[in-house]
Every structure is written in C-alpha cells, then in structure tokens.
Amino acid sequence: MRNVLIVGGGYAGFYTAWKLEKKLRSDEASVTLVDPRPYMTYQPFLPEVGAGSIEARHVAVSLRRHLPHTRLIAGSVVHIDHAHRTATVQPTDGSEHELAYDTIVITAGAVTRTFPIPGVADEAIGFKYVEEAVATRDRLLTAFERAATLPPGPERRKLLTVTVVGGGFTGVECFGELLSLATALLKYYPELSEDELGFHLVELRDRILPEVTDGPGRWVVEHLEKRGGRIHLGTSLLSAKDDHVVLSDGTEYDNHLLVWAAGNQSNPVVAWHTDLPVDKAGLFRVRADLRIGTAEAAIPDAWAAGDNAAVPDLASDIPGGSFTVPNAQHAVRQGKRLAKNIVADLRGRKVKPYKHASLGTVATLGIGKGIFQYRRIVLKGPLAWLVHRGYHVLAVPTWERKVRVALVWASAFFYGRDIVSLLSVQHPRSAFVATSIGAGHEKDRMADPPSSRTA
C-alpha cells in the first residue's frame, strides 16, 4: 500500500481526502491528513457568522466525522524533504517527528498578510477562522451593551466605532454584514442613535472588490456610504496604537473594533521550508494537471492545489500567463480533480488537466443586500443576496451542514438574528475564580476572633 500524505485540511485538502475515501480501494493506499484544526471552515459564511445570521458550528465541517478512513494528525507540517519522501510534523502536543510518505498533496493554504503597523498586532482581529468571526460578533454586541450605559460623548462614540482594513471580498462582506448588524441593533437600544455609529472601510487601492468590474465596484461603494459607512480608498492604515486610528488621508479617530482583512500571503512552510520548487510569490509551481513541476516535466509523487499553488487557468482568455484566482470556488474543484488524478496515477492511467470556468462572483452586504456578477450580467440588492445564499448553501459540503444552515436561516426569517453576546466564553473560568476568591475571603473573615472582627 502506498502512503498518501495531505498537508492541510482546508477546501482543497478536505475535498481531496473526502473523494479519495470514495475512490480508493481499502488495500490500495492509506491517507493521512495533517492540520492543526479538527475541522474545515467554510469561509464564505464567516461574514454571516460575524453578524449572527449563522451559528458558528455550522460553518465548521468535522474532519473526523466525514473522513472516517483517513488518519488525522492534529498539528502542522513544518518541513518537507521530498527527495527523501519525509515530512517533519509538529503535533499540537508533543515533540516534532518525521513522517514518511510515498505521495504528498500540499494544500496548506495561505496565511493572513500583515504589516508592521503600530498597534495592529495588539488590537486587530483577523477574519480567516470561525473563532475570529465569533470574537468579532461578540465584541460588537458587548460594545453596544457598554455604550448603552454611558452618556453621549467620546467614550460612547468610540465603543460604536468599527474599522475594517481590506477591500477584497472578505473585507467588504465583513464590513457590510457588521454594518447591517449594528443598524439592526439600534431598535433594541433606544439610548443610542444611528449618528453615533462610526464604520470605516480602509483600502489601499483606489477601488474595492477587484474581482468585479468598475461599475459594480462603484455601486457597492455608493451603497455602503448611503447606509452610513465611510469608505477610504487609496488609503493605508498608519497606526492603531492605543485604540486610536490614524489613516494616510489625514483621518484620525478613536476606535473600538479593528478587523484585519488585508489579504493573504504564502504559507511559510511552502515558501521557505521545502525542497519543492516555488515561484517568487512563494507559491508552488504547478502544472495544469496539479502535479508540482513545469510544463515540460513533473516532479513524481508531488501534488498541490488551493491558495498555496500557482495553478494555470486554462479557462482564461489570456494564454500562458494567467493563474486561477485563489478562492473557494477553485479550491473545491481542484480538490476533486486532485483525488481523481491521484487515483488515476496510482492505477497507471492518464491524469487530466484542471479546467474550470468561473460561475461568477457574489458577495453579501447584509441581510437582503448583495452584489453578483457573471460576465456582463450584474444583479444588485435582494436578488443578488438570494443568489449568494442559494449558491453557498449548495456549495457547503455534506447534507448535514446544508440542512443545519438552511434551518438557521429559516428561523432567522421569523425571529431575527441572534444578538446574544458570549464574549465571556473566551474567559470561561472568570466567574468561578471570582466566586472562589470571594469564598476564601469570607472563610478568612469568619476564622478571625470576634474581637478582631469588631476592631
């Protein structure tokens, strides 16, 4: 039996393992998947998790539940030595060890791109994982609770100020959903007014949503500004130190919630800790059939896909120089093609190239609000929002997750969003510790002699 090692359990890695389990014979190959998280996150739903429209657990697909025949290792691959067919694994618990393999599939994805801006490391929350989306939601909900107890003024306005850095799909969807949540919350807080909300979207380029054409991009900016958002185009964040934001366009203000969605960068394992070929951007050089290598020669038993691979875009009108966009749509389909090609290669059959024409781009901007573009077809508002929900409920893997998400949406239609903050979950022992300390003080007081208590 051959040993197939999959590095990373994101879209491409999960779908590769999922399909291999269905296609491989039990005596043909064993599959091992290494990932620090026990689940695959369906990232297109994170903005709705952040806005309380979807339950957090419903966007996390359990690896153990859906990959029963795959050996799962909780940890990270920190080095790949393909010449000797070994990978160095750092488990979540325990020491590093080497793992031998015959075939490797690298779908480690990308990591959040950051810059050495004062205050960002201390104040910002990313928006790549479900934990970050939940923390973003809880912090905004808690801010409303705190603001409602304060008189009008700078402190209250600061609590109701949110900054999202990054004008790609993640940043724009996060901004639109949080703005929608904040506006909806006002009816529960008569003490607060819409004029006190401060929502800022900061983008270095002179436009947002580069995946759509100029017209729809401008419409999104105008739409968000009509709803009270401030869009800073051609602007960078200079400082976020001590909850005070300074922008390159001269704008300064006190800020409470800072969400960092300024794009991704190459996974460091891919870029610096492997003997496999990478390009200047730190991405694997991948052939159209998803084998690592050049068009002239493939490296045996090495495959890659997803955000850590430069995959030729055969559906593009630009011959030779175009690569697939690093998004969920491609990663899912590349994972499926990877599984088919690996099985074909193991059985001595011909592998096929990956080719997929885009189904269009769609973004949610809040409940009942969205943008969709497929070539020259552009939909805006409620219809685009329905397209977004329809597409993604079909795209999220497993019927179990589809049903759960659909049921949450149905309940929200009748009863509204869930606006309960569970920020205290991040400190689960605080109430117990406070009670224990209080009980200790009471015990000490009762142990004192009466005269000392009187004194």
Side-chain angles (χ1 to χ4, degrees):
M1 290 199 0
R2 292 182 65 82
N3 298 315
V4 179
L5 173 62
I6 301 176
V7 181
Y11 299 116
F14 172 80
Y15 273 92
T16 301
W18 200 26
K19 296 301 180 181
L20 282 177
E21 286 199 0
K22 300 178 185 296
K23 296 177 181 298
L24 286 172
R25 298 188 300 268
S26 59
D27 61 345
E28 195 168 13
S30 64
V31 180
T32 300
L33 188 150
V34 181
D35 194 278
R37 288 176 170 79
Y39 54 82
M40 185 273 282
T41 302
Y42 191 72
Q43 293 178 343
F45 280 154
L46 291 184
E48 293 198 61
V49 171
S53 299
I54 294 181
E55 168 61 36
R57 292 182 184 274
H58 296 171
V59 306
V61 180
S62 170
L63 299 181
R64 292 197 177 273
R65 179 170 185 171
H66 298 290
L67 300 176
H69 305 298
T70 298
R71 179 192 176 195
L72 299 174
I73 298 177
S76 303
V77 171
V78 296
H79 187 267
I80 298 169
D81 183 1
H82 190 65
H84 297 91
R85 300 297 195 275
T86 60
T88 303
V89 177
Q90 175 59 67
T92 303
D93 294 304
S95 57
E96 289 186 3
H97 63 270
E98 288 191 348
L99 187 65
Y101 64 83
D102 298 302
T103 299
I104 191 167
V105 179
I106 307 174
T107 54
V111 297
T112 301
R113 179 179 58 187
T114 58
F115 302 96
I117 299 172
V120 168
D122 300 321
E123 307 293 342
I125 299 176
F127 212 78
K128 190 176 181 64
Y129 303 106
V130 66
E131 301 93 336
E132 295 171 327
V134 172
T136 299
R137 179 197 66 194
D138 288 345
R139 190 164 183 182
L140 180 60
L141 294 174
T142 303
F144 267 75
E145 290 289 345
R146 294 173 57 192
T149 65
L150 296 175
E155 283 301 313
R156 190 158 93 173
R157 189 175 293 276
K158 173 184 175 181
L159 285 169
L160 300 177
T161 302
V162 176
T163 302
V164 177
V165 180
F169 262 87
T170 299
V172 170
E173 288 190 314
C174 172
F175 184 81
E177 286 286 350
L178 292 180
L179 180 58
S180 178
L181 171 60
T183 305
L185 285 173
L186 290 174
K187 67 179 179 180
Y188 302 107
Y189 295 90
E191 307 92 339
L192 308 177
S193 68
E194 189 171 354
D195 293 339
E196 294 178 289
L197 299 180
F199 274 71
H200 300 261
L201 177 64
V202 181
E203 170 53 43
L204 182 61
R205 292 166 293 191
D206 59 359
R207 54 162 300 174
I208 61 174
L209 296 178
E211 294 87 351
V212 303
T213 54
D214 291 343
R218 286 193 298 270
W219 178 86
V220 173
V221 171
E222 294 169 0
H223 170 78
L224 293 173
E225 288 180 337
K226 286 179 181 178
R227 290 165 52 190
R230 290 194 59 185
I231 315 300
H232 304 267
L233 298 179
T235 304
S236 60
L237 176 66
L238 299 182
S239 175
K241 195 172 181 180
D242 299 326
D243 290 329
H244 185 75
V245 166
V246 180
L247 303 180
S248 62
D249 63 1
T251 304
E252 292 190 33
Y253 54 89
D254 289 333
N255 185 72
H256 176 67
L257 175 59
L258 176 62
V259 180
W260 185 267
N264 299 320
Q265 63 185 13
S266 177
N267 192 300
V269 174
V270 173
W272 303 304
H273 301 288
T274 175
D275 57 351
L276 293 167
V278 296
D279 62 15
K280 293 181 180 179
L283 303 176
F284 282 116
R285 299 180 185 275
V286 176
R287 295 157 49 96
D289 57 16
L290 303 179
R291 288 185 288 185
I292 297 176
T294 63
E296 293 74 27
I299 295 177
D301 307 318
W303 309 75
D307 292 357
N308 63 193
V311 180
D313 188 357
L314 300 184
S316 172
D317 297 330
I318 304 174
S322 179
F323 300 99
T324 58
V325 178
N327 60 18
Q329 191 177 139
H330 281 297
V332 167
R333 288 164 175 79
Q334 287 170 8
K336 295 177 180 180
R337 171 47 56 192
L338 258 176
K340 293 177 182 178
N341 280 355
I342 290 170
V343 172
D345 188 57
L346 290 175
R347 296 173 182 173
R349 299 174 184 170
K350 186 177 180 180
V351 299
K352 297 181 180 179
Y354 169 76
K355 183 177 181 179
H356 170 67
S358 173
L359 299 176
T361 54
V362 61
T364 175
L365 303 173
I367 292 181
K369 308 170 183 68
I371 183 73
F372 167 79
Q373 182 175 19
Y374 175 70
R375 297 182 180 177
R376 295 184 179 180
I377 301 174
V378 178
L379 303 177
K380 304 171 184 176
L383 188 55
W385 176 73
L386 289 174
V387 170
H388 176 274
R389 286 205 159 180
Y391 171 77
H392 285 298
V393 79
L394 292 174
V396 66
T398 79
W399 278 102
E400 173 244 348
R401 279 297 180 261
K402 298 179 197 294
V403 171
R404 289 181 185 274
V405 170
L407 288 176
V408 170
W409 281 340
S411 64
F413 178 80
F414 293 102
Y415 303 111
R417 331 168 176 257
D418 187 347
I419 62 168
V420 176
S421 172
L422 296 177
L423 189 64
S424 58
V425 169
Q426 299 175 37
H427 309 282
R429 296 187 66 251
S430 58
F432 176 78
V433 170
T435 303
S436 300
I437 293 174
H441 289 166
E442 180 65 16
K443 183 179 179 180
D444 292 342
R445 189 182 73 83
M446 297 303 295
D448 289 339
S451 58
S452 67
R453 291 206 301 269
T454 302

